[in-house]
Amino acid sequence: MTMISLSGVNKHYDSYHALRNIDLDIEAGEFFSLLGPSGCGKTTLLRTIAGFEDIESGTLKIAGADMAEVPPNRRPTNMVFQSYAIFPHLNVAQNVAFGLRKSDLSKSEQTRVVGEALEMVGLDGFGARAANALSGGQRQRVALARALVLKPKVLLLDEPLSALDKKLREQMQLELRRLQRQVGITFILVTHDQEEALIMSDRIAVMFEGQIAQLADPQTLYRAPASRKVGEFIGTMNVMPVAQNAGNLTIAGLGQVSDPARDTVSHAGIRPETMSILFPGEPDRDRVAAAKIVDRAYYGDMTYYEVGLDGLDNTLTISMKNLMGREILEIGTPVRISWREDALVFFDQ
Amino acid sequence: MRAYTWAYLIFLYAPIVLLPLFAFNDSTTIAFPLQGFTTKWFVQLPTIPALTSSVWTSVKIASITAVLSTILGVCAARAAVRYRFIGKRPIMGLIMLPLVLPEIIVAVSLLVVFLQLGLSIGSWSVIAGHTLICMPFAISILNSSFQNIDPALEEASLDLGETRVSTFYRVTLPLIWPGLIASLLISFTISLDEFIIAFFLSSTEPTLPVYLWSQLRFPTKLPVVMALGTLLVCLSILLLALAETLRRRGLRKAGQSTEGGFL
Amino acid sequence: MADDVSHNSRRGLLLVSPPFLTTLVLLAGPLGAIILFSFWTQDYLTLNTDFTIKNYVEAAQDPIYGLLLGRSLLVAGAVTLLTVITAFPVAYFISFHVKPSRKSLWLFLITIPFWTSYLIRVFLWKVVLGFNGVINSGLIEVGIIDAPITFILYNLNAVIITLAHAFAPFAILPIFVALEKIDRALLEASRDLGETRVATFFRVTLPLAMPGLVAATLIVFIPVIGDYITPRLVGGPGGLMIANMIQTQFLKLNNAPMGAALAVISMVAVTVIATLFVWLNRRFLKVRS
């Protein structure tokens, strides 16, 4: 079932075209992410769904109902704000109960519902705590409980993890995912962190300059980016120019491939982890090319090598697991690298 | 520098400490040496009808002024902080202009207009003048109150099902409450103390400063004036302390540090 | 609250209209009226609405007006200079040398005298400076002088002292706010880059405190020009200022158009001086707006 349906949605800020003809369907029960660099329109799109931004043209339907004249307070969506927007004059329980005033629940039922919501986010017993006595992670949990207690059809999350430190962020990513499975409603997450989007989402819409550049599940998005821009935005992508001659494609530095030539192809991309450096004594496998270590970055579990190849202006990044007994190669070492044709993606520009 | 600051404080307080001294001094002349202790000037205070009625006139005018300028201040501050609109700078500039205009100019220009329009001046015209000069102070205070509110808080309230109107009562108002009180108190105090506009624009019902002005010419009335002044100082300190406490409580509520002071 | 832009603009205008209309009716209208009035004449109670610059000519020719305006500007200038210079160290001390938790207590101490009736405060200065006043009694008591000294009351000195006292908080607060805004790391950076404490003060602290000093200057200078009470109470005949003359024209001589002309002249003088001051400041300091 389609929960949210946008068609032909446009929005300008003065002369800036923030949303360009957006067509998008989001399914019920889906964990959906809007991913893109800052200023790409992802937050505007989220706020449009919430009702904080008017749309100039196009339609927005939530659960089949047109939202054109529906103010935010009457939409079946609730939001977790980037700043969490915890009311500083109310305590935790009062914050969570804020939206229940107009429900037909009795006082005691409200108390029970609030208690359940706090328990769900792991804050049972925090009800009487003052809002400003909370840590960042706790504020986020309160914001979640406050939105979920109203049983919305859609939960909107505006960069909810960006204010948290790395450890806490990773923990909350898993917890949000768990929570979404538990309550079963549609979650729409806005984020600029591609890793976060990959970890959490069922599907991801990558946005650039007010347009959706690609809409796919995480694996497709990572393995088969629709454009060079998407490929380079998500993870690391080595990009090499491609020459076409006599019906064949030749990739600078790597050589000719068996793919037939296509008029539009101009570049090929390959992910760092799909290539490997052949250490001394390793036999050749797949396709092999000669290269030289130009630079390296040691990450503990991994080492990222920058290698230079003949006939290629830029360097390629290759990530290698630091397996037991594997040496860290010095800069300047000549090496052989191994790669597979089926790991290649082709781009038009 | 600490010594200098203390010396400066002494300079600031020098005239003020004389008030209680002469208020309790058993002599009709305001001069040294002191003659002995008495409370008779305080006892006389409520027995002077012209004085008590001027106090009531002033309190009435100051209260209405405080409410009016705070309400108008809320409108202006809210508009200035949250909205972009055509002519914002000139409009806000005009509203804040009384802050940099000598009060006598405000007084005479209002007087000219009221008299030309054939309106009989009275308490209402003093209220009009006072509201005009208190509004910029109210706006300055309320501006910072509104600025301290994260816009997402009001959006969160709308998102959670409240209307714009109920959001104002449930979220905005509780958060600007300390600023509102401070604005009321400061407008009240300014109006209560204002002389020149009241002098020009009041007629048969003098305000307290206008009454005091007329009494300063009669030396025998002066000790009573000192007694009244003493009471006013105590009242001011009380109100100020109250405003400051509320402001701090408000800041704590909003989760901010309570350092720094008014304005 | 971002709806669409014009929607937002309408809501803002609607909200600002009550205070705006109030100011329009009570300020812009009357100011326009007083300018108009200044080009009229009045003979006792009859108003002659023929356009004339007679009032301005008279103001230029009769030396009394020039004298009063000049004196007002002089007093305002002196009071401003005195107040700002004496207030700066106080603001500096509170901002830099008082523990953060005690700052508001200090500000509180400084603002208390300011909330005492202005009228009574001015009168008390008369008591302090007067013939049988605190200073004279004190000095005679300890034997420094034999007879009361008189040069401290009913003259410009008294006016300046009293006004400097009355406007002290107006000067301290904006300077304090400007000093508080200075990132302390900037001062450390200056020291780190080899400047002494004194050089740091002149090269970093003072330029950054300039907006506060400008605000303090204007906020003291402008109301002092129009002050009425202080010259009347402690100024004596030689201490009267332009506001006293405006009042006399309006309420005693029934010559409102002349009073209006004087009001317009002082308004223009204040505006010109204030604008010039701000402009010079921008120019010499190249302060960002």
Side-chain angles (χ1 to χ4, degrees):
Chain A
M1 191 192 114
T2 306
M3 177 53 73
I4 288 183
S5 172
L6 293 107
S7 64
V9 170
N10 277 287
K11 167 94 188 166
H12 281 87
Y13 289 118
D14 297 324
S15 63
Y16 178 64
H17 204 161
L19 295 178
R20 302 168 190 239
N21 241 351
I22 301 279
D23 293 314
L24 178 64
D25 283 333
I26 298 172
E27 300 300 314
E30 189 173 26
F31 199 125
F32 192 91
S33 291
L34 294 166
L35 172 66
S38 59
C40 73
K42 56 189 192 299
T43 297
T44 306
L45 187 56
L46 192 80
R47 291 169 57 84
T48 303
I49 296 170
F52 296 123
E53 310 278 346
D54 294 339
I55 51 179
E56 290 153 18
S57 62
T59 55
L60 162 66
K61 287 182 180 169
I62 301 179
D66 189 359
M67 291 287 129
E69 295 299 318
V70 183
N73 46 320
R74 302 226 310 275
R75 295 193 182 194
T77 58
N78 285 118
M79 186 139 157
V80 173
F81 290 81
Q82 186 170 13
S83 60
Y84 307 140
I86 304 299
F87 300 117
H89 58 301
L90 305 177
N91 68 22
V92 169
Q94 288 167 328
N95 260 286
V96 176
F98 190 89
L100 291 172
R101 187 174 68 113
K102 286 180 179 165
S103 70
D104 36 10
L105 295 176
S106 69
K107 270 271 168 280
S108 63
E109 280 173 319
Q110 286 192 15
T111 315
R112 182 179 55 79
V113 175
V114 167
E116 283 171 6
L118 284 175
E119 198 183 320
M120 184 167 63
V121 297
L123 283 181
D124 30 343
F126 279 71
R129 196 71 79 84
N132 55 2
L134 298 174
S135 69
Q138 289 168 335
R139 296 170 77 82
Q140 204 223 8
R141 288 159 195 265
V142 173
L144 268 170
R146 184 176 73 181
L148 288 174
V149 79
L150 299 179
K151 307 232 181 311
K153 292 197 167 99
V154 182
L155 183 73
L156 308 171
L157 302 118
D158 184 9
E159 305 249 8
L161 305 175
S162 61
L164 306 180
D165 62 52
K166 191 166 181 289
K167 274 259 153 53
L168 194 55
R169 191 162 62 227
E170 286 166 357
Q171 183 195 337
M172 285 307 295
Q173 285 169 356
L174 297 176
E175 211 164 315
L176 272 177
R177 187 73 246 222
R178 175 190 63 75
L179 205 58
Q180 193 264 339
R181 292 206 181 103
Q182 185 185 335
V183 295
I185 63 170
T186 311
F187 275 35
I188 305 180
L189 171 81
V190 158
T191 181
H192 64 269
D193 181 343
Q194 38 98 15
E195 202 172 280
E196 186 171 297
L198 293 176
I199 292 170
M200 298 167 76
S201 324
D202 293 319
R203 285 198 302 156
I204 300 169
V206 181
M207 290 184 71
F208 294 119
E209 288 155 6
Q211 281 173 312
I212 295 178
Q214 187 172 7
L215 172 61
D217 62 275
Q219 295 188 23
T220 310
L221 204 59
Y222 188 79
R223 287 196 185 146
S227 65
R228 178 176 171 181
K229 207 169 175 187
V230 172
E232 286 182 323
F233 184 71
I234 297 182
T236 308
M237 178 68 85
N238 294 305
V239 178
M240 300 143 288
V242 168
Q244 314 204 19
N245 45 11
N248 287 313
L249 291 179
T250 305
I251 300 170
L254 294 182
Q256 191 174 322
V257 292
S258 53
D259 264 72
R262 275 160 285 157
D263 291 350
T264 52
V265 169
S266 71
H267 287 84
I270 191 163
R271 296 285 186 194
E273 70 281 2
T274 61
M275 307 170 85
S276 46
I277 289 171
L278 296 171
F279 285 84
E282 272 187 82
D284 287 359
R285 61 167 187 269
D286 306 317
R287 298 281 304 266
V288 175
K292 195 177 186 179
I293 308 283
V294 175
D295 202 356
R296 63 156 201 233
Y298 178 73
Y299 275 70
D301 58 337
M302 309 280 283
T303 303
Y304 282 75
Y305 292 100
E306 295 292 319
V307 300
L309 283 85
D310 283 341
L312 184 64
D313 294 339
N314 53 317
T315 59
L316 299 184
T317 307
I318 301 178
S319 60
M320 296 299 293
K321 262 206 155 338
N322 293 333
L323 298 178
M324 189 79 97
R326 185 177 271 180
E327 62 174 317
I328 307 297
L329 299 170
E330 293 301 327
I331 292 168
T333 316
V335 289
R336 290 165 302 138
I337 61 168
S338 162
W339 59 281
R340 286 162 59 115
E341 281 189 26
D342 59 4
L344 288 173
V345 271
F346 293 101
F347 303 125
D348 293 350
Q349 35 182 298
Chain B
M1 199 171 291
R2 179 175 292 270
Y4 174 83
T5 306
W6 278 109
Y8 198 85
L9 273 184
I10 290 170
F11 165 68
L12 285 183
Y13 279 84
I16 314 301
V17 292
L18 296 178
L19 261 182
L21 240 47
F22 289 113
F24 290 107
N25 181 28
D26 193 5
S27 161
T28 48
T29 53
I30 304 296
F32 285 102
L34 298 174
Q35 300 296 320
F37 183 83
T38 178
T39 54
K40 69 178 176 197
W41 309 121
F42 286 91
V43 177
Q44 271 184 28
L45 268 180
T47 65
I48 306 167
L51 188 146
T52 47
S53 80
S54 76
V55 168
W56 283 120
T57 306
S58 269
V59 167
K60 188 180 74 189
I61 289 174
S63 307
I64 298 173
T65 298
V67 172
L68 283 179
S69 48
T70 301
I71 290 173
L72 292 169
V74 165
C75 293
R78 170 85 186 174
V81 172
R82 278 287 183 278
Y83 296 99
R84 283 195 302 160
F85 47 89
I86 306 147
K88 182 171 175 175
R89 281 179 69 97
I91 289 175
M92 290 315 293
L94 180 68
I95 294 175
M96 299 305 275
L97 187 63
L99 212 52
V100 291
L101 213 54
E103 277 171 15
I104 186 140
I105 307 268
V106 175
V108 296
S109 56
L110 281 174
L111 181 71
V112 162
V113 168
F114 289 154
L115 290 183
Q116 283 307 300
L117 292 177
L119 303 167
S120 59
I121 54 174
S123 292
W124 73 270
S125 50
V126 182
I127 292 171
H130 283 183
T131 303
L132 187 69
I133 59 159
C134 288
M135 205 157 53
F137 288 95
I139 292 172
S140 320
I141 294 166
L142 291 164
N143 249 342
S144 62
S145 294
F146 278 113
Q147 263 158 6
N148 282 338
I149 302 180
D150 177 2
L153 290 174
E154 286 166 358
E155 289 185 350
S157 168
L158 291 176
D159 186 64
L160 295 168
E162 297 294 332
T163 60
R164 280 186 184 280
V165 177
S166 61
T167 293
F168 185 77
Y169 288 111
R170 289 194 73 191
V171 177
T172 317
L173 207 56
L175 291 176
I176 62 164
W177 191 244
L180 222 53
I181 299 287
S183 161
L184 284 170
L185 286 177
I186 282 178
S187 304
F188 183 88
T189 318
I190 292 173
S191 168
L192 198 66
D193 192 31
E194 203 286 331
F195 168 73
I196 196 82
I197 289 175
F199 186 48
F200 273 76
L201 297 179
S202 65
S203 59
T204 48
E205 280 190 307
T207 64
L208 181 60
V210 176
Y211 170 78
L212 284 181
W213 178 255
S214 67
Q215 298 306 295
L216 290 180
R217 269 176 284 160
F218 305 108
T220 52
K221 303 276 180 59
L222 288 177
V224 179
V225 171
M226 294 291 120
L228 182 67
T230 308
L231 289 182
L232 285 178
V233 173
C234 296
L235 187 72
S236 298
I237 294 173
L238 213 66
L239 285 181
L240 262 186
L242 188 70
E244 175 68 12
T245 318
L246 282 170
R247 193 189 66 86
R248 285 171 156 236
R249 184 176 300 167
L251 282 181
R252 258 204 308 281
K253 240 186 193 176
Q256 284 147 348
S257 83
T258 51
E259 289 161 18
F262 273 121
L263 306 171
Chain C
M1 307 297 292
D3 296 334
D4 98 76
V5 177
S6 68
H7 195 147
N8 192 341
S9 177
R10 254 204 319 280
R11 195 170 270 149
L13 274 175
L14 194 70
L15 200 54
V16 85
S17 54
F20 179 53
L21 291 178
T22 307
T23 334
L24 223 49
V25 171
L26 294 180
L27 186 66
L31 286 183
I34 208 155
I35 293 172
L36 188 66
F37 232 79
S38 68
F39 291 106
W40 292 350
T41 48
Q42 185 169 0
D43 192 14
Y44 296 105
L45 291 174
T46 48
L47 202 62
N48 181 353
T49 58
D50 296 333
F51 181 89
T52 170
I53 56 163
K54 180 177 155 289
N55 295 318
Y56 289 97
V57 173
E58 193 185 325
Q61 282 173 348
D62 193 333
I64 181 71
Y65 300 121
L67 177 75
L68 287 178
L69 184 65
R71 186 187 288 155
S72 297
L73 293 175
L74 182 80
V75 168
V79 168
T80 307
L81 202 66
L82 185 67
T83 314
V84 171
I85 289 176
T86 53
F88 190 90
V90 178
Y92 187 89
F93 172 75
I94 299 173
S95 180
F96 282 83
H97 295 290
V98 169
K99 268 188 284 175
S101 56
R102 314 211 63 155
K103 281 181 184 174
S104 57
L105 179 70
W106 274 88
L107 290 180
F108 193 53
L109 278 176
I110 280 171
T111 37
I112 285 177
F114 163 68
W115 293 110
T116 318
S117 165
Y118 179 46
L119 210 55
I120 292 180
R121 258 184 298 155
V122 175
F123 175 76
L124 288 168
W125 273 108
K126 192 170 155 176
V127 175
V128 173
L129 303 171
F131 194 76
N132 297 320
V134 178
I135 291 184
N136 278 326
S137 314
L139 291 179
I140 291 172
E141 193 74 25
V142 295
I144 293 176
I145 51 173
D146 300 327
I149 47 175
T150 52
F151 64 87
I152 47 174
L153 187 62
Y154 298 127
N155 57 30
L156 282 185
N157 296 336
V159 174
I160 292 171
I161 293 174
T162 309
L163 286 172
H165 178 261
F167 285 90
F170 281 116
I172 294 175
L173 288 179
I175 297 173
F176 171 77
V177 170
L179 289 173
E180 280 291 279
K181 279 191 189 150
I182 298 176
D183 182 355
R184 301 308 195 248
L186 294 174
L187 308 182
E188 290 174 355
S190 168
R191 298 295 306 280
D192 182 62
L193 295 169
E195 289 295 4
T196 62
R197 270 178 202 286
V198 175
T200 297
F201 176 81
F202 284 105
R203 290 190 65 190
V204 182
T205 315
L206 200 57
L208 289 175
M210 221 51 212
L213 283 167
V214 172
T217 304
L218 293 179
I219 222 163
V220 174
F221 184 79
I222 291 166
V224 167
I225 292 269
D227 193 74
Y228 172 84
I229 296 176
T230 304
R232 270 297 294 276
L233 279 184
V234 301
L240 288 182
M241 293 178 17
I242 193 75
N244 306 97
M245 180 52 91
I246 294 175
Q247 187 263 349
T248 308
Q249 294 289 348
F250 269 96
L251 300 185
K252 295 235 173 74
L253 301 178
N254 276 325
N255 192 352
M258 189 64 213
L262 292 176
V264 171
I265 291 171
S266 26
M267 209 155 52
V268 169
V270 169
T271 314
V272 167
I273 292 174
T275 317
L276 203 69
F277 175 74
V278 172
W279 183 76
L280 281 176
N281 231 295
R282 288 246 170 90
R283 207 178 138 79
F284 283 117
L285 285 158
K286 298 195 182 76
V287 191
R288 326 125 306 260
S289 62

